[in-house]
């Protein structure tokens, strides 16, 4: 009698983390923190005034098909919260299923939330679904930065096939004020070579700034971006698209953009280590 061996499913990673902060006497203080699985949070020591900073860590070292990450962050009562990542997130080849990242950002009136993770690196045959849901009260502000790098130029990597879906929904006072839907699949490298898509560039970034003062930075941002992208502003929203050949060139434009929209505040140290 032939015995057919049982094939065990491959181990998958699941992580979840929540953090909320509140304003106390002009300072931003930790309110609640929860973490589980491969999602970890670290809060660097502060030696000067400014936003409370939290560093996201995926101790799995990246994501592949079947992995899930849930991040939930809130800023209350005139607080300011900056979120960044310890390193670039990596989306590896998927043998089955998709990697799913759920991100929830909330800011009450008078508060500000800054979503500043480092780049997401896409590997060949990756499959990613990322959902970013942002809920803002009236007079709240948000700076949202997401960058995608399709293969590492220095390693000679080419992303021939992949499926990437990046879904953003921004609400303010319960009304939808902004929606993004990037969905690219199939022969990625071939599509990025198309002049109407990326003209051969392999690194892209989207920056969204929601603030009553969003329009004040238009002239400075146009000077920073030059021919590497474009910036638009309407109804209290400022939106930038940036293209570059690789992550190094992307950062040369992206870092000054973030500094401009952060009022001159220093970037999280993870960006410069």
């Amino acid at each position: 009698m032939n015995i057919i061996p049982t094939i065990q499913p491959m181990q998958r990673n699941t992580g979840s983390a929540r953090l909320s902060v509140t304003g106390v006497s002009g300072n931003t203080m930790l309110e609640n923190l929860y973490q589980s699985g491969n999602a970890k949070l670290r809060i660097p020591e502060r030696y000067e005034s400014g936003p409370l900073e939290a560093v996201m860590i995926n101790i799995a070292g990246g994501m592949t098909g079947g992995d899930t990450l849930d991040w939930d962050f809130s800023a209350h009562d005139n607080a300011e919260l900056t979120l960044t990542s310890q390193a670039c997130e990596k989306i590896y080849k998927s043998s089955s299923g998709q990697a799913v990242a759920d991100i929830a950002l909330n800011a009450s009136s008078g508060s500000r939330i800054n979503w500043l993770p480092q780049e997401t690196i896409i590997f060949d045959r990756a499959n990613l679904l990322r959902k970013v849901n942002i809920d803002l009260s009236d007079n709240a502000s948000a700076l949202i930065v997401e960058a995608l790098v399709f293969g590492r130029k220095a390693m000679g990597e080419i992303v021939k096939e992949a499926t990437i879906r990046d879904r953003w929904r921004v609400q303010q006072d319960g009304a939808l004020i902004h929606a993004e839907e990037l969905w690219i699949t199939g022969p990625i490298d071939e599509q990025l070579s198309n002049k109407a898509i990326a003209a051969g560039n392999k690194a892209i970034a989207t920056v969204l700034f929601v603030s009553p003062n969003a329009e004040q930075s238009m002239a400075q941002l146009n000077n920073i971006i030059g021919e590497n992208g474009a910036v638009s502003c309407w109804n209290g929203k400022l939106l930038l698209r940036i293209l570059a050949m690789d992550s190094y060139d992307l950062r040369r434009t992206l870092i000054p953009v973030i500094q401009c929209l952060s009022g001159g505040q220093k970037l999280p140290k993870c960006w410069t280590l």
Side-chain angles (χ1 to χ4, degrees):
M1 181 176 63
N2 293 327
I3 299 176
I4 301 175
T6 301
I7 300 176
Q8 297 295 329
M10 296 181 68
Q11 183 179 2
R12 292 296 181 240
N13 290 299
T14 300
S16 177
R18 298 191 300 272
L19 182 144
S20 64
V21 299
T22 187
V24 178
S25 301
N27 294 317
T28 299
M29 308 297 292
L30 179 66
E31 190 175 47
N32 292 298
L33 187 152
Y34 166 85
Q35 56 189 8
S36 68
N38 55 292
K40 305 300 180 186
L41 293 170
R42 296 294 181 265
I43 301 175
E45 190 74 31
R46 288 187 293 171
Y47 299 99
E48 55 190 24
S49 62
L52 186 143
E53 182 182 315
V55 180
M56 301 174 290
I57 304 172
N58 175 9
I59 62 172
M63 299 183 72
T64 187
D67 292 345
T68 61
L69 276 175
D70 293 298
W71 304 103
D72 191 324
F73 301 103
S74 298
H76 301 140
D77 302 324
N78 299 300
E80 183 171 359
L81 175 61
T82 294
L83 304 152
T84 190
S85 56
Q86 183 189 42
C88 296
E89 186 64 278
K90 300 174 182 65
I91 311 300
Y92 294 112
K93 170 186 171 181
S94 174
S95 57
S96 64
Q98 59 186 179
V100 178
D102 274 300
I103 299 146
L105 307 174
N106 308 277
S108 63
S109 183
S111 297
R112 172 167 168 157
I113 196 160
N114 305 303
W115 176 256
L116 307 177
Q118 297 185 64
E119 303 94 325
T120 298
I121 300 175
I122 306 300
F123 286 77
D124 192 34
R125 297 177 64 184
N127 190 342
L128 171 67
L129 170 61
R130 181 167 54 194
K131 295 175 284 184
V132 183
N133 292 295
I134 304 162
D135 193 353
L136 306 174
S137 297
D138 182 45
N139 202 34
S141 301
L143 173 59
I144 311 300
V145 177
E146 279 290 1
L148 293 172
V149 178
F150 293 89
R152 295 170 296 183
K153 181 180 178 181
M155 303 296 290
E157 295 167 351
I158 298 175
V159 181
K160 296 179 181 179
E161 296 279 342
T163 297
I164 307 299
R165 185 176 181 184
D166 210 6
R167 180 184 185 273
W168 298 17
R169 296 293 183 269
V170 185
Q171 293 190 348
Q172 191 159 36
D173 281 344
L176 181 67
I177 64 167
H178 189 80
E180 292 264 338
E181 194 80 28
L182 169 67
W183 196 343
I184 182 169
T185 187
I188 299 295
D189 192 65
E190 179 182 324
Q191 294 180 64
L192 293 176
S193 298
N194 190 312
K195 288 185 178 181
I197 298 178
N201 290 285
K202 304 298 173 63
I204 62 175
T206 297
V207 180
L208 174 66
F209 184 44
V210 180
S211 169
N213 303 317
E215 192 172 352
Q216 295 179 2
S217 304
M218 277 284 291
Q220 186 176 352
L221 289 171
N222 273 315
N223 289 332
I224 293 171
I225 294 173
E227 297 181 354
N228 298 322
V231 55
S232 301
C233 189
W234 73 105
N235 297 336
K237 297 184 302 178
L238 190 146
L239 184 67
L240 299 93
R241 313 284 190 192
I242 303 171
L243 291 172
M245 290 302 298
D246 56 27
S247 59
Y248 176 78
D249 284 337
L250 181 66
R251 285 192 175 212
R252 292 176 63 182
T253 302
L254 187 56
I255 288 176
V257 164
I258 296 172
Q259 290 173 327
C260 174
L261 294 174
S262 299
Q265 290 183 3
K266 295 179 181 178
L267 263 73
K269 286 188 176 179
C270 291
W271 275 76
T272 55
L273 292 176

